[in-house]
Amino acid sequence: MKLSIFMLLILITAVYGEGKAQKVSLSLKKADIETVFNAISKQTNYRFLYSDDVITRVGAIDITVNNRELKEILNHIAKHRNLRYKIIEHTVTVNVVGNRNMVTANGSQPDVMVTGKVTTQNGEPLSGASVFIKGGKGTTTNAQGEFYLEVPSLQSTITISYIGYVTQNVDINGQKQVIAKLENNDAALEEVVVVGYGTQKRKDLTGSITRVSGDVFEHHAASQLNEMLAGTVAGFNANQGATAAGGTSMEIRGKTSLGASTEPLIVLDGAIFGGSLRDINAFDIESIDILKDASSAAVYGAKAASGVVIVTTKKGKVAKPTITLSSKIGRAESNNQRRGLNANEYIAFREDFLRQVNPSVDYQFYTNPNELPENFSLDQWRNLSANPLDDNVQEWMARLGLFDIEKNNYLAGRTMDMYDHVFQKALRQQYDLGISGGTSAIKYYWSLGYDNNEGIRVGDQYASVRSRVNLDFKITDWLNVGMNTQFSDRNEGAVPASMDFYVNSPYGQLFDDEGNLERYPHGHSNTPLLDYYRRSVTDKKYNVFSSLYAELHFPFGIKLRTSFQPYYHESKYLTFTTISKKLGGLDSETPSGERGESSRMNWQLDNILSWNKKIKDHEFDITLLVNAEKNNFWSTSMKNKDFSPNQELGAHGLQFGSSPEIVNDDQVSTGDALMARINYNYLGRYLLTASVRRDGYSAFGLEHPRAVFPALAFGWVVSDEKFFKVDFIDRMKIRTSWGANGNRDIGIYAALARTGSNLWYNGSTTEVGVYTSSLQNSGLRWEKTTAINLGLDLIMFNNKIDLTADVYQMNTTDLLMDRTLPRVTGFTSITSNLGEIENRGIELTLNSRNINRTNFRWNSSLVFSLNRNKIKELFGDVGTYTLLGKEFNGEVPDFTNKWFPGQAIDVVWNYNVTGVWQLDEAAEAAKYSMQPGDFKSEDVNADGKYVDVEDKQFIGYTVPRYRLGLRNDFNFLKNFTASVFIRADLGHIGSYVDALNIGYQSNDRWNRNVGPVPYWTADKPNNEYARLNVNTGAYGGGLSIYKPRSFVRIQDLSLAYRVPVGIVENWKLKNLEFFASVRNLATFTKWPGWDPESGMTPMPRIYTFGFNLSL
Amino acid sequence: MKLKYILFLVLVPIIVSCSKNWLEPNPLSFYTPSNVYVDQAGFEAGLTTCKKEMNAENHGDLCFIVGENCYSDLAVELRESDWNKLTPSSSPRQAILKLFTNGYGYIKNANTIITRIDDITWDDQSVRNRILSEALWFRAYWYYRLVNTYGDIPWVGEELKEAKLDYFSTKREVILAKLQQDLEYAQEWLPVKAANLGGVTKGANSHLLTKIYLALGHFDQAITSASAVINGPYALMTSRFGVDASNSYHNLMWDLHRWQNKNASENTETIYATVDRPDAAPGTWFNNVGTASMRNYGPSYWKVMDATGNRATNWDTAAGDSLGIGNGDVRTNWFFRYGLWQDEQYQWDETPDMRRAKTNWIEMGEMTSDIITVREGSPNFGQPLTKKYYKNLADTTDTWFSWPYYKVYVPTPNYAQPWGGQGDWYIFRLAETYLLRAEAYFWKGELGLAADDINKVRARANAPLITAAEVTLDYIFDERARELFTEEPRHTEMVRASFIYAKLGKGGYSVETISENNWYYDKVMRDNKFFSAPKYTFWDNTATVHPYNMLWPIPQNVITANTLGRINQNIGYEGAQLNEPPLDVIP
């Protein structure tokens, strides 16, 4: 039996002080014993400690006393109601007599008094900690952390617990004095979680919310928030960025839309943030809360269907100023060296290709005359040309169509690998400085950060300066005002070397003899460095995002918070292409420049009225919100070319060109919202959250500007129930929630028909032409996701293991999508609300504290998630259609977008490629108008034709079927910490276009344009990759090649050393730490492209070294 | 404490105050149909788009007219000559699928004007009627092209206001009849001379109507309509004119095909020509490249080698700017280059026909060519290019053939590579009107009158005249090839004629079996040896054509996107088994 935490709270808060015997006056009728004790506590400085059965045993009491001694009253009650009590210091422990008798009966010895002290690991006394004997008797510690307890035997075990600390069981083992040091519990239940327009204690949560602390990532190289989270949170799917700037898309739980964006909403310090994630400095992040289920997110209503990510930045605390300096320097390189064909392979490829496209020419025609087979003489070879050149090698090179540069370099034995000019070992730097502190009147936090990253491709770079000021002023005891403001200055002006470098021949050269950039390194096809050398780009972005607030505290716990959140964005994009021979320019080219300037001014106004009240065992938290927003965007872009008298002014003098063009694109949108929420709990055991939000948005202003989104959630702390008697479970909570959310993430003018315009010169004047470019849909409305979530939180084995499990089902209706129209309409699609998608999933998070010794600690965290989605309904067009070779009667699929009712959005509908037609299958292949070397696929109905609706099958999925993340943290030799994070995305496939060997991929004038992709030849057949210049025309509806994209990777590995406090103090520092880390150390995959995560984009591997210092 | 309540009173109203129109959408930088089609200027702006879109016929790499020649009796598409490899869903390079989808886009723009014409009150009904008539003409132009390329297709006659996915194919003849009706209305309201270039005239209308009458078998009406043009303010050009008039090296035919001369006021032969000017602002161009005429129609002569195995005359050498960087996309055959120009009297290189004059063509002959080796340091410097140094004669497919330089030479001031720049281009020219009337007479059996009309065109070109006995449909189309190469939609016209043959039941053709037996296929096999006797497999393609390829396939993605109806596929292509009977009325 344990006491409920709720009661403990009462005891802790009870007033106590020093004094002699106390006098009490009471006048109560039919009161329960609890009320009596409470009344006594109020008049004295005594606290009462008792178990639930005391209350039941006593029942109702009538008591009227005037100015009597406490002991006298207690004796009276104890006698009449069969209780025992003991006063130690100022705590009155009350027990039921029967219980004690039972203990005595079972035990062999009379009661023994044990004393003890409870402290933290640092030796600070813990007052108010609970100390129990198993069986019900117990007490609490006093202000010095001391306790006295009668135990039935000196062999008893006592349990010591304190909120926020790991519960300890102590075997007395004959000792009369117990010293217990409680260990801080990281996953403490008291932790406050941000829930949107407020906070909640983790223990009171009803929804599915995952919190990630900012310091988890402080040793890592990830430059953007979503990269930090990639793989670490169950149900949160983000990919790492591959560029210098970093950052890619993210998604929570699953794809809930076919047309609208499914990026989660970002809330920054309580304000909805419309800017770029790149503006948020990871250094400033205190914590990230990810709201996954509908009820948690529902307070954000119309914007929250894709989940919410709440970022909380560091705030000042009442303390002396602390200065923190963090510095990271790193090296990045591609984690996969995918080089093009080398010199020998190139020549072989040219021969193979020309033989392939010129089948009427003798096979040996293209063979190197020095490598002729024995039965083929040089004369025979020479006679294949009508007029062979005298020199055999020259003749051969001419047959291969090599360019002059190639011939010269071939003869001189000079080769090059363009890969080495396109890729580089990149330098990454990141420096951050933070100052924080405060007094009771002002709390402050200020930081300044500078990032400068090179990309792994030459010319890719990124730099940013970011600063943040968080201030909070306490004007009076009822008024706080403050602001959270961030500023960023990003420089994204990168001109990376082109990825089209495979086209260049290894016999080319980068510069000519005069040092000019070779436009065509081997005589054909641009150099991948053309833009890098001649194009200048300035791409600056300046952002200020601020939340200015005032918080008023009224009586009865009512609070009004008004905040105004302006967001200013200014961007400048200047680009200029200089034309000169030195930089690979051609005589016929003209210099050109473009200049785009845009600005954004968005604001939100939030008024939040909240009321927190506790009435006996009932606790309420009511939040009301009124919100309005307006988003303005202005953009101007200018283009010009052909400048006179010269191009020296670049993009700064576009007015000197001959063909100016101007484009304006201004936009405005507005929105508003009302929201009400109640959090209620009874005894801390039964939890309820209910909310409703009404949103308005001008994009739906034609017919459905507003929509309502309700939500409801329950939580039940089962382990607090009397009947719950599972020893190894410390705490168990069941959560369930239901709610609806919206998605409005489409173009703000998507509902309107748009008239496009063009210019035309009629021979005498310029006319403006108009045409309808998009169809109107005035009935456009919100996409709505209704979701249920069932969750379980378990803490087990004395806090050693905690497990959070969630299952969910989300149904999205009124999908915003671009519905494909037959092109006879003149349009390709119309934005519509149609159909339904279902997402279901499971998420597990398992944290365990595996080893916990002074010299070695090992914690691990395992996350697992899976999501299955299904298109339940599409357009509602019912009819007969053919699919998989069968006639169906039902809802017709969208073949264009490959959306099939009943199937997943990401299902792959394609021919099941079984291999490549081999030479002995020529006759078979010919039936399909194909030849050996072409792709062979399953012809399901064996009719000798590849027809998409008959022979295409569902062959896999493009989104990972299972996602796993395993993080292990080690703490050893006191001052060392190490962590390793392993991540796996499993079970999906990806389209590998390069395997098709079609069109642009091969040509008689250039190298194999897809790099190291094998190909079939009659001499070297294989059964996976087709011949050069493959024919896929026989595949109705087209053919794609898919390859497995599963991977396991060691994503992060880090090691840190904290200089011991004793040494650091000598240097007048508070803290000093050195660390080293590697990102993407190793990847295990069968994917043949650059990287299974980024697909056909090279992924960096980053080595980082750094230190953190504070004083 | 009081201040707190004052603040409360101040803040609460902020909470509640929101104006009524707060959520009204407010487009700032673009027009919507409701604020464009409000006056005459708006409708004229709609027509401007239609005029500009006519450039799609002849502008750009592998443009529509290129496709028309590539799948005809005159040429093959260099890299996609094998119809076995072209399916309703696969034709990456050519216009085969693009014409269908883009064509309906142009029809949509005309439909917007037609549907909205009575949304406003017109002060002057004749302005309304003229604008409506122009829109009807543009719509009819593209429908004429589509029904004579794809056969039965869906009729879309109105502006779309919401999603629609239940289209059905309508019979080709029903659509043609509707076009006839529209253009007969337009005839009354169109001007004799347009206010500006690009405007539609009575002449352009009559010319298109002539084709439609022919297609419907209304030969008398075709003759009347063609005669209206011939007797109108038009005349064949018979003397030198325009930009190069004083250059005695050239002849009248050269003048006729300079882009500067096509819309020139002194050119009395032009009935309708597109407008696209290199010296106008880039935003007004149809595309950045221009006509790409030198690219599309010229050979890759710049790959030809000299004795050292190096390129003898690359495109980026001095000659390249005027010769262009040909790509051999329209790989013309022997018939076009030689067969067409010789008769019992003359060999092709002796004919007095100005259209085959030495000054108008770049000759690449049996062994040598008009093009001179200009690579410095070449042992062959100054000598003509020769076939002698070819390593592999299959390579001559894209590099070695003569071409009608006078038709395709367009300077390229705005593009890095000399592909053929911006320029005006003929859509309808009086010479064709004569040949259309000749065709009408032919169908009627009045061969003498047919010969007269053909001779008008031949006489102007200084070609030997013909007699009535020589007039056949083949001859009329051969004359069209001689006169209208790079201008006429040749495949479209051949399909039209094939349907007439079948409809008349002549020559053993019938409408029922047209996918198995048709004049188009027979003429192609007669004259285009690439198909009937392929010599090389080039670019992995052995040129192949079947009778059913006369009608091009409807793009599969259009058929599948039309989930609630049935757009028929042409017989012979995969999917035709699902066809439903086409509509015989305009829906």
Side-chain angles (χ1 to χ4, degrees), chain A residues 249-268:
Chain A
S249 64
M250 47 188 179
E251 191 172 88
I252 291 176
R253 290 199 155 166
K255 196 168 162 66
T256 53
S257 185
L258 293 174
S261 160
T262 53
E263 288 266 309
L265 177 73
I266 307 296
V267 174
L268 181 58

Side-chain angles (χ1 to χ4, degrees), chain B residues 368-397:
Chain B
T368 65
S369 85
D370 284 350
I371 303 171
I372 304 298
T373 301
V374 298
R375 187 174 71 84
E376 281 177 45
S378 168
N380 308 95
F381 187 80
Q383 298 166 9
L385 301 190
T386 166
K387 269 190 182 175
K388 199 161 74 176
Y389 304 121
Y390 269 89
K391 304 302 167 197
N392 163 17
L393 285 176
D395 288 344
T396 57
T397 308

Side-chain angles (χ1 to χ4, degrees), chain A residues 361 365 387 389 395 398 404 407 553-554 588 607 626 666 670-671 749 755 759-760 767 770 772 1005 1027 1033 1037, chain B residues 4 15 22 26 29 31-33 45 48-49 52 87 89 108 275 303 305 307 309-310 388 391-392 416 540 564:
Chain A
V361 175
F365 181 80
N387 242 315
L389 300 172
E395 167 68 18
D404 291 4
K407 291 179 184 172
H553 300 263
F554 299 99
S588 50
N607 283 291
V626 180
D666 297 349
T670 47
Y749 300 124
T755 299
L759 296 175
W760 179 66
E767 297 180 14
V770 294
T772 309
R1005 282 158 244 178
R1027 67 186 172 99
Chain B
K4 160 161 41 166
I15 292 174
W22 182 243
N26 184 12
S29 291
Y31 292 104
T32 62
T48 296
T49 298
K52 186 173 185 177
T87 66
S89 39
K108 175 206 75 180
V275 189
K303 285 187 193 168
M305 292 169 183
N310 290 305
K388 199 161 74 176
K391 304 302 167 197
N392 163 17
D540 242 359
L564 301 180

Side-chain angles (χ1 to χ4, degrees), chain A residues 809-826:
Chain A
Q809 172 166 337
M810 308 191 282
N811 285 69
T812 309
T813 50
D814 292 342
L815 298 169
L816 284 168
M817 62 169 137
D818 289 333
R819 181 184 191 179
T820 305
L821 294 177
R823 288 285 294 272
V824 293
T825 57

Side-chain angles (χ1 to χ4, degrees), chain A residues 618-666:
Chain A
H618 308 273
E619 190 172 358
F620 298 89
D621 187 343
I622 292 171
T623 308
L624 303 170
L625 164 84
V626 180
N627 157 286
E629 67 171 305
K630 185 165 188 178
N631 308 301
N632 297 287
F633 175 72
W634 300 269
S635 142
T636 304
S637 90
M638 297 158 249
K639 273 189 202 172
N640 213 336
K641 59 184 191 179
D642 208 2
F643 302 88
S644 21
N646 61 41
Q647 57 185 338
E648 289 305 309
L649 298 182
H652 307 292
L654 290 186
Q655 68 268 38
F656 300 112
S658 65
S659 325
E661 282 179 57
I662 305 174
V663 176
N664 291 152
D665 181 17
D666 297 349

